[in-house]
């Protein structure tokens, strides 16, 4: 992955607008951190292969970035994104890593389902 270039991400979001895409969205604040610190409050969310058709996609911020996907009836939103890539299957993979390189958030878009 490389550091997000907002204009390149925006271009890809525009390309996928109106298409049915599969979404992977994941957040974590360190699910395994409470093994070392029982007082640590672990929280996260995970959804994979949700189908979505968005009418407008937007990247915002000055880094870390926010990406919002507006649908006919709502929004999907991820914040804290720092890195991205388009992989060999033309999937848009965006992630937010903390200062130690640990994953905090992932937002991925694909025109084909992600591996289960």
């Amino acid at each position: 992955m490389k550091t997000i270039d907002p204009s390149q991400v925006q271009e890809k979001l525009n390309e996928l607008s109106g298409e049915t895409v599969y979404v992977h969205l994941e957040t974590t604040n360190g699910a395994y951190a409470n093994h070392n610190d029982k007082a640590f409050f672990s929280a996260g969310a995970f959804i994979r292969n949700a189908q979505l058709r968005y009418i407008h996609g937007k990247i915002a911020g000055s880094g870390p970035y926010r990406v919002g996907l507006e649908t006919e009836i709502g929004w999907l939103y991820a914040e804290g994104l720092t890195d991205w890539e388009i992989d060999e299957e033309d999937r848009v993979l965006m992630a937010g890593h903390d200062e130690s390189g640990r994953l905090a958030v992932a937002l991925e878009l694909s025109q084909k389902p992600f591996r289960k």
Side-chain angles (χ1 to χ4, degrees):
M1 296 192 121
K2 58 188 175 191
T3 301
I4 283 179
D5 177 327
S7 63
Q8 290 179 339
V9 171
Q10 185 62 58
E11 183 177 320
K12 194 62 180 172
L13 293 174
N14 293 345
E15 284 179 27
L16 293 172
S17 177
E19 302 289 330
T20 298
V21 294
Y22 294 88
V23 175
H24 172 85
L25 176 63
E26 176 179 358
T27 66
T28 180
N29 67 347
Y32 301 103
N34 67 357
H35 291 290
N36 298 325
D37 180 359
K38 295 297 181 197
F40 183 83
F41 182 79
S42 178
F46 181 95
I47 186 168
R48 190 168 183 87
N49 285 324
Q51 284 186 295
L52 180 76
R53 183 178 305 205
Y54 62 91
I55 56 176
H56 181 243
K58 175 84 175 159
I59 184 165
S62 56
Y65 298 94
R66 298 179 302 279
V67 168
L69 304 176
E70 181 182 12
T71 71
E72 291 287 338
I73 59 171
W75 283 88
L76 181 145
Y77 176 88
E79 182 173 291
L81 298 165
T82 57
D83 304 292
W84 86 302
E85 69 180 21
I86 297 174
D87 73 0
E88 65 281 351
E89 296 181 44
D90 202 33
R91 300 180 298 192
V92 182
L93 312 177
M94 297 172 278
H97 298 101
D98 69 12
E99 63 281 346
S100 299
R102 294 176 296 214
L103 180 68
V105 59
L107 174 60
E108 302 176 350
L109 307 173
S110 174
Q111 292 184 302
K112 295 183 280 188
F114 292 97
R115 188 171 30 116
K116 191 172 180 180

